[in-house]
Amino acid sequence: MSRGKTRRKTVWVCRECGHESSGYFGRCPSCDAWGTMVEQLEAPVAANRFGEPRSFQRLTEVRSAERARLSLGSVEFDRVLGGGLVPGSLVLLGGDPGIGKSTLLLQTALRVAEQGRTVLYIAAEESPEQIKLRADRLGAPSEGVLLLAETALDRALEEATQLRPALVIIDSIQTVYLSELDSSPGSVSQLRDCTGRVLQFAKRTGIPVFLIGHVTKEGLIAGPRVVEHMVDVVLYLEGERFHQHRVLRAAKNRFGSTNEIGVFEMSDAGLIDVGNPSELFLSERVANAAGSAVVAVLEGTRPILIEVQALTSAAGYGTPRRVATGFDATRLQLLVAVLTKHAGLRLADQDVFVNVTGGIRIVEPAADLAVALAIASSASGIPLETDAVYIGEVGLAGEVRGVHSLERRLQEAARLGFARAYVPASSRFPLVGAGLHLVSVRTVAEAVSALAARAVRARPDVIEPLPE
Ligand code: TYD
Ligand code: MG
């Protein structure tokens, strides 16, 4: 690696306790942690994160950035950002390799260029030819997109300063480097100092910058997480690689809510906005299958219907497994305990698997009732009502607790043709049922026995054998 003439001094900083020393230690002299010392550039005097020293300003004199947000030409993307991109903001886009980060941002570059603006795409990972191949799939190329194949960050930012584009995209933060540092690209010190340099560029010029960061196997250590605290917005693009849709989520947003999600579908021509995610998430549902329940969760301002699946099966030796995908594992254990204790389900010798379809991660407790009933349904082999949604938080005593914004969830269910909704009995009445038949539920036990009763009604031919 070439070394710049104006080498700045480097120091070694402990990742754990922040202890600084001029030399490397395998074990931090201050907190005794092993292998936590990372190399960092010593901060230049008088520089702050906005590039230059400043005197104070009156709060009333600070210009609001709100007016000038840049639309990225995608309703979903703009919504996640809080209504477009704020000038001078630094946005980190993280995600697994191959999930579609480069695709999303190249598409964004093309769309912004369509508005007659210039976008600089710093390609530090792929050759311009590879990027051109991708662009060909995404539709009409645009004059406004400029590619720069450069891994030396200083040179790339110099170009950007000269060019003054409307947007800069760096693909990726793990492959660019600063020559003053001895460590290799992608190391913690390079990640931090490169991000710091880009941050100064963004604040100094007012040009918004996207940084792409791969989530590595070590995730927490060398992945985008180490720079999360430095940037304005952290987005993660998620989804299962072999599934069509992708979810864009804000993990941090200085300019908007972190609750909003953007849903996209990966097609032959890039990522397409999905305006009606509920329809997509329910499209593969099998009618009358045991272990499936539909819940209406609220993602930001938007209610989304999602199918929750559960499977119980005889466990082998040892502790039975409780495995959750898209749902909190501890919460699942809690629900299994509640079902065992309060609804009389025998799950002690059963493995329990729960899967939230569509690669969605449910964080809301409002999905508890649906998860609990999906488990009960799988354990009993009795399907839940296909045209019903289940909404409610489950407490430790087996009670079903109220959720916020119930009306909005019910409206979405009605819109998608659902006929009934199981809702917490404590919900404020009269409820606007949005045309749904509402069934109020006080406890999980009550809902589970309603399920069992349904099976008897549905199969009058089943006669209990007499005891011998
Ligand atoms: P990519 O954006 O290269 O992922 P990342 O930058 O996150 O590593 O996209 C990878 C996948 O997307 C790749 O497997 C091909 C697929 N893809 C499509 O399905 N349709 C498209 O139009 C494009 C451009 C990519
Ligand atoms: Mg890529």
Side-chain angles (χ1 to χ4, degrees), residues 39-327:
E39 192 190 18
Q40 248 173 42
L41 279 183
E42 207 174 47
V45 193
N48 62 21
R49 69 186 275 278
F50 303 104
E52 75 242 27
R54 280 190 190 169
S55 63
F56 65 82
Q57 261 177 300
R58 274 182 216 290
L59 186 55
T60 47
E61 286 166 1
V62 180
R63 254 187 326 126
S64 166
E66 206 51 42
R67 282 167 288 136
R69 285 191 190 239
L70 174 68
S71 165
L72 300 179
S74 152
V75 176
E76 298 293 305
F77 206 163
D78 283 347
R79 178 178 334 97
V80 175
L81 286 169
L85 199 54
V86 170
S89 61
L90 180 56
V91 182
L92 174 70
L93 174 64
D96 290 332
I99 201 76
K101 299 179 295 299
S102 301
T103 304
L104 180 63
L105 290 189
L106 185 58
Q107 259 179 307
T108 302
L110 292 167
R111 289 192 184 126
V112 171
E114 258 168 40
Q115 305 168 16
R117 302 170 197 269
T118 309
V119 181
L120 180 64
Y121 193 107
I122 299 170
E125 201 169 277
E126 292 168 303
S127 68
E129 291 75 24
Q130 279 172 303
I131 293 169
K132 176 70 167 66
L133 276 180
R134 185 180 291 125
D136 287 342
R137 297 177 69 171
L138 302 177
S142 173
E143 291 286 316
V145 180
L146 304 178
L147 292 181
L148 176 66
E150 180 64 83
T151 53
L153 185 66
D154 274 337
R155 252 174 287 156
L157 291 180
E158 229 165 78
E159 289 278 347
T161 309
Q162 304 253 310
L163 186 68
R164 298 238 147 214
L167 174 65
V168 172
I169 295 166
I170 301 181
D171 189 357
S172 66
I173 188 66
Q174 273 127 333
T175 46
V176 291
Y177 70 93
L178 287 171
S179 49
E180 303 107 292
L181 286 176
D182 287 332
S183 49
S184 52
S187 62
V188 173
S189 48
Q190 285 283 4
L191 279 177
R192 285 210 177 137
D193 286 336
C194 285
T195 305
R197 196 63 61 86
V198 178
L199 185 68
Q200 282 177 9
F201 166 83
K203 300 301 166 195
R204 184 166 38 87
T205 60
I207 299 171
V209 183
F210 275 112
L211 292 176
I212 290 182
H214 297 294
V215 175
T216 51
K217 268 196 240 95
E218 308 86 59
L220 289 169
I221 301 165
R225 295 257 147 83
V226 296
V227 295
E228 274 187 354
H229 65 285
M230 305 174 72
V231 303
D232 297 311
V233 182
V234 179
L235 305 177
Y236 280 97
L237 187 62
E238 301 170 344
E240 285 149 67
R241 197 161 170 190
F242 301 102
H243 279 76
Q244 244 46 55
H245 49 272
R246 303 282 181 269
V247 175
L248 186 67
R249 201 183 274 282
K252 163 182 176 180
N253 192 348
R254 287 195 177 131
F255 312 116
S257 143
T258 51
N259 293 323
E260 299 291 350
I261 64 166
V263 183
F264 302 90
E265 196 172 345
M266 181 62 97
S267 74
D268 287 340
L271 290 155
I272 302 172
D273 280 25
V274 176
N276 269 321
S278 304
E279 272 159 39
L280 176 75
F281 294 146
L282 296 181
S283 62
E284 285 175 287
R285 198 158 65 106
V286 182
N288 282 315
S292 156
V294 175
V295 63
V297 293
L298 217 63
E299 292 286 356
T301 52
R302 200 160 50 155
I304 297 180
L305 297 199
I306 297 174
E307 181 190 1
V308 174
Q309 295 180 325
L311 179 69
T312 61
S313 74
Y317 292 110
T319 318
R321 294 196 287 165
R322 278 81 179 89
V323 184
T325 312
F327 190 75

Side-chain angles (χ1 to χ4, degrees), residues 322-336 352 354 362:
R322 278 81 179 89
V323 184
T325 312
F327 190 75
D328 184 57
T330 316
R331 197 99 202 137
L332 170 60
Q333 287 181 340
L334 184 149
L335 292 176
V336 169
V352 179
V354 165
I362 298 185

Side-chain angles (χ1 to χ4, degrees), residues 357-423:
T357 61
I360 286 278
R361 239 183 328 114
I362 298 185
V363 285
E364 265 200 304
D368 287 352
L369 182 62
V371 173
L373 285 176
I375 296 170
S377 162
S378 176
S380 62
I382 310 164
L384 292 161
E385 291 160 61
T386 308
D387 57 355
V389 293
Y390 299 85
I391 305 165
E393 176 180 346
V394 172
L396 288 183
E399 80 279 18
V400 176
R401 301 171 153 258
V403 303
H404 69 93
S405 313
L406 186 60
E407 273 91 343
R408 261 195 282 159
R409 301 173 203 256
L410 295 175
Q411 275 158 8
E412 177 72 355
R415 195 178 71 75
L416 281 137
F418 283 80
R420 286 158 165 278
Y422 286 76
V423 298

